[in-house]
Amino acid sequence: MNTENLLAAEQITRRFGGITAVESYDLELARGDLVGLIGPNGAGKTTVFNMLSGVLPPSSGRVSIGGVDLTGQPPNRFAQAGLARTFQNIRLFEDLSVLDNVMSGGHMRMGAGLLATLAQLPAFWRAESAIRDRAAEVIERVGLSQHRDRRAGDLSYGDQRRVEIARALALEPRILLLDEPAAGLNTSETATLTALIRSLVDEDGIAVLLVEHDMRLVMSLCNRIQVLNRGKFIASGTARDIQRNPAVIEAYLGTRRKGLSHHAGAPA
């Protein structure tokens, strides 16, 4: 395995009883990579995310971060190794402020530990200060400084999406998994999100794996795209490669070639 890869999955498979949800999936993510993972509903994309982030252990295969095998380890180990993720359904603490929500992400990686926290030792206060500073920094980065003290549940849907991304960034990740970040966003919000993701890759060197149903966003943003269908890997390549791949067209839209081009924002 190439240890220069931030994240690597080798032939990971997940079975639920007699059903194979994902079979022999491979991935290599290096610094600054922006990869899209697409496929019809039920293709296994969220199962891949869950295996890559430690939520689900693979039935077979291996997941590594920076060359260190983390297969079967819990999600906090993946977070400590530099991986953060968002979820398809927003999971904020609605009654807490934006700042407190984002700080909750920082505690996963930068917390002072149970003893120091319970006894409120100096290490606890130092950690809290660092976490607060980092949270304020990423809130500004995602454009929500004016909302930092507002109740998260009172924000618009698009702003809540940005809070979730800010919470993931509070971990100071090297790898970011985004699960349908544009779901429910309007055109303006999607454009803002696209610019944010691009800046995280280009300016911060974060490796991003993106699951998204908005094909226009995926095709315009990602430098490499993978396609799953019924749990099996069927294609990988540039947007142009994917748009012209007969197996992808068949899996996604049957023989409706023009439909794929329309949704991808590419010429027919």
Side-chain angles (χ1 to χ4, degrees):
M1 180 184 299
N2 182 359
T3 57
E4 293 183 0
N5 288 316
L6 294 179
L7 176 65
E10 294 180 301
Q11 296 285 291
I12 58 173
T13 295
R14 177 67 194 193
R15 302 181 185 90
F16 297 96
I19 298 174
T20 300
V22 173
E23 182 177 351
S24 301
Y25 173 79
D26 288 313
L27 173 70
E28 292 184 349
L29 272 186
R31 176 181 169 86
D33 273 346
L34 178 46
V35 177
L37 177 62
I38 66 173
N41 288 332
K45 303 182 296 294
T46 296
T47 301
V48 166
F49 261 38
N50 287 338
M51 288 191 287
L52 294 178
S53 59
V55 174
L56 280 175
S59 303
S60 61
R62 175 172 155 172
V63 180
S64 301
I65 294 180
V68 178
D69 188 353
L70 294 180
T71 311
Q73 295 296 314
N76 66 296
R77 287 291 305 279
F78 284 76
Q80 290 164 1
L83 183 145
R85 68 168 292 182
T86 65
F87 292 85
Q88 182 176 350
N89 300 313
I90 296 175
R91 300 184 181 186
L92 298 179
F93 300 107
E94 294 188 353
D95 290 330
L96 297 182
S97 70
V98 170
L99 179 63
D100 286 337
N101 268 277
V102 177
M103 286 181 66
S104 72
H107 282 109
M108 287 190 66
R109 189 173 185 187
M110 301 164 63
L114 180 61
L115 177 60
T117 300
L118 290 176
Q120 295 198 356
L121 299 176
F124 164 76
W125 294 110
R126 286 195 299 271
E128 281 296 289
S129 179
I131 291 168
R132 181 176 295 274
D133 289 345
R134 173 62 179 170
E137 177 185 325
V138 296
I139 287 171
E140 181 177 1
R141 179 69 184 278
V142 303
L144 291 175
S145 292
Q146 71 275 27
H147 298 309
R148 59 175 283 174
D149 297 319
R150 289 186 63 188
R151 179 180 175 273
D154 292 337
L155 300 184
S156 69
Y157 191 84
D159 284 344
Q160 288 185 24
R161 283 283 182 193
R162 285 195 282 171
V163 172
E164 190 177 40
I165 293 174
R167 183 170 61 183
L169 294 176
L171 276 79
E172 299 184 355
R174 298 182 294 165
I175 306 148
L176 184 59
L177 309 185
L178 298 175
D179 195 350
E180 297 195 30
L185 303 189
N186 61 35
T187 301
S188 175
E189 290 169 335
T190 298
T192 299
L193 172 71
T194 300
L196 173 61
I197 295 171
R198 196 181 297 279
S199 74
L200 293 174
V201 173
D202 294 343
E203 298 172 19
D204 298 61
I206 295 175
V208 173
L209 179 64
L210 171 74
V211 164
E212 182 54 61
H213 283 294
D214 184 337
M215 289 297 97
R216 191 178 300 276
L217 183 152
V218 172
M219 296 293 173
S220 66
L221 186 61
C222 298
N223 51 37
R224 179 161 47 103
I225 299 168
Q226 296 183 323
V227 188
L228 288 179
N229 187 34
R230 298 178 182 177
K232 294 183 178 180
F233 181 85
I234 62 170
S236 178
T238 66
R240 183 174 294 273
D241 294 335
I242 295 303
Q243 290 167 353
R244 297 180 174 184
N245 187 303
V248 176
I249 296 168
E250 181 66 26
Y252 242 103
L253 297 162
T255 57
R256 291 186 296 161
R257 167 65 185 275
K258 290 184 179 180
L260 179 61
S261 298
H262 170 75
H263 289 287

